[in-house]
Amino acid sequence: MSRQTAIECLRAEAQAITDLIPRLDESFDKAVQLMLDCKGKVIITGVGKSGHIATKIAATLASMGTPSFFLNPLDAYHGDLGMLTPNDTLIAISYSGNTEELLRFIPLLKERGISVIALTGKTDSLLARYADVVLDVAVSREADPLNLAPTSSTTAALALGDALACAIAKARDFQPADFARLHPGGDLGRRLLTRVEDMMVRDNLPLLHPDCPMSEAIEVVTNGKLGVGIVVENGRLRGIITDGDVRRAMQAYKADFFTTPVSEIMTPTPKTIHAKDRIVDAGEQMNHYSIHSLVVLNEQEEVVGVIDSFSCLPGTRFYH
């Protein structure tokens, strides 16, 4: 019984969202344009459950590059109207469109030239008449068994708010790097903003000359503790040898292995990355080539470090 009730609830809320699609008309486009043209901030307001939805929409907009905040209508009468300027745009959420707390101060905003977008289930309501743009979030029924509690209606308003945020982000060509700059404390932000030079190994690099015999190369690679040896000549990268290269060479050269020069065993075209590149780019390259290390070069194409999967930030998937 409990699961069946849950299924019916989810179906009702899913239907409420799906029913919004045919109603996405020129009013939605106009709302998006008003928000794109806004020179100030986008303020979201609502009372009760609509207020909670408004808070979340404001947070989503802000995280996707649109300056936005929630305004409690009750506080608007006690000084918070001073937060608004004629350059702002207001989104008012009220399913009935007749919420008294909203209707008391919205005319004041209209007098100041502030554009109003209404999210309401009653397109003939007083709120709708005040608004410059009306977005219809009506639902056929609430999801709760009594058809009383704001469930489907709040889901529809939240989804339409997300749709506005997504449309604006797309119009502004909002990129992952933009998102990272607004989320520097999160894992994604760290991954997108951290540079290879911040995480690479730069000291005591296992550098080898192409003529170095493998008897010496093994010692250098072992002491380097990176599982690789970097082959350099005249300051330029010539190749790389890995633990796997060493094992294969021992099988191939047998008794001659220890006298064999590194140049005959190395991979002459190792994968590289530049110190100023993002750490996430290093991870993607390692994933793509199924490798665990990259040689790091500076702007002069000189070897300055090694970045491996263990040096990269948590949350990035690497092959080992």
Side-chain angles (χ1 to χ4, degrees):
M1 178 64 73
S2 297
R3 277 182 286 173
Q4 184 58 39
T5 301
I7 290 170
E8 292 171 359
C9 173
L10 293 173
R11 283 176 175 166
E13 296 199 352
Q15 188 63 51
I17 295 175
T18 302
D19 288 345
L20 294 174
I21 296 175
R23 289 179 246 155
L24 294 178
D25 54 17
E26 62 275 5
S27 293
F28 184 85
D29 296 333
K30 186 177 179 181
V32 170
Q33 195 60 52
L34 276 176
M35 296 168 73
L36 287 171
D37 294 340
C38 178
K39 303 301 182 184
K41 293 180 171 60
V42 175
I43 295 90
I44 324 291
T45 188
V47 177
K49 303 298 187 296
S50 293
H52 296 307
I53 298 302
T55 301
K56 192 277 179 182
I57 294 174
T60 299
L61 286 168
S63 72
M64 297 175 72
T66 297
S68 179
F69 64 85
F70 168 71
L71 175 64
N72 188 325
L74 301 177
D75 294 332
Y77 306 111
H78 299 281
D80 282 5
L81 279 177
M83 296 179 177
L84 281 69
T85 73
N87 290 325
D88 297 330
T89 295
L90 181 90
I91 298 178
I93 306 175
S94 170
Y95 190 79
S96 69
N98 292 310
T99 304
E100 181 181 354
E101 294 89 342
L102 284 180
L103 298 179
R104 284 170 55 194
F105 82 90
I106 285 182
L108 302 177
L109 305 184
K110 297 295 294 180
E111 289 179 2
R112 298 170 65 180
I114 296 174
S115 299
V116 175
I117 300 169
L119 267 64
T120 180
K122 308 296 181 182
T123 56
D124 58 350
S125 63
L126 187 54
L127 174 61
R129 291 199 291 272
Y130 279 138
D132 297 279
V133 180
V134 179
L135 299 179
D136 184 1
V137 291
V139 298
S140 58
R141 63 162 286 125
E142 296 291 1
D144 80 290
L146 299 177
N147 190 26
L148 294 175
T151 44
S152 295
S153 57
T154 49
T155 298
L158 179 61
L160 193 59
D162 286 344
L164 286 169
C166 291
I168 292 168
K170 181 73 172 179
R172 288 180 171 154
D173 194 27
F174 193 72
Q175 296 296 316
D178 301 315
F179 187 88
R181 279 189 284 272
L182 299 176
H183 300 74
D187 179 62
L188 177 61
R190 290 192 298 272
R191 288 173 54 203
L192 292 174
L193 295 179
T194 303
R195 302 294 169 180
V196 170
E197 63 186 352
D198 299 323
M199 303 299 295
M200 69 185 186
V201 176
R202 64 179 75 224
D203 298 323
N204 301 316
L205 295 176
L207 301 179
L208 301 166
H209 188 276
D211 296 333
C212 175
M214 286 305 301
S215 58
E216 297 178 17
I218 289 178
E219 184 177 356
V220 172
V221 172
T222 301
N223 291 338
K225 300 180 180 180
L226 295 175
V228 297
I230 305 167
V231 186
V232 178
E233 186 176 21
N234 298 324
R236 297 293 174 177
L237 179 65
R238 293 291 180 256
I240 192 172
I241 61 170
T242 66
D243 289 337
D245 293 328
V246 172
R247 290 193 298 271
R248 288 186 289 272
M250 292 181 71
Q251 291 179 329
Y253 290 90
K254 300 187 184 310
D256 296 328
F257 167 77
F258 290 103
T259 58
T260 302
V262 166
S263 58
E264 292 191 22
I265 293 174
M266 70 182 187
T267 299
T269 55
K271 303 304 178 185
T272 64
I273 195 163
H274 284 87
K276 297 295 184 182
D277 288 343
R278 300 178 305 166
I279 196 75
V280 68
D281 296 326
E284 289 175 356
Q285 191 173 161
M286 283 187 262
N287 280 337
H288 180 75
Y289 292 108
S290 300
I291 56 179
H292 66 77
S293 300
L294 293 170
V295 179
V296 184
L297 306 177
N298 61 15
E299 295 178 354
Q300 290 73 44
E301 301 299 310
E302 299 167 331
V303 175
V304 293
V306 173
I307 187 77
D308 64 19
S309 57
F310 299 103
S311 302
C312 292
L313 296 173
T316 304
R317 179 177 61 87
F318 297 106
Y319 291 97
H320 295 283

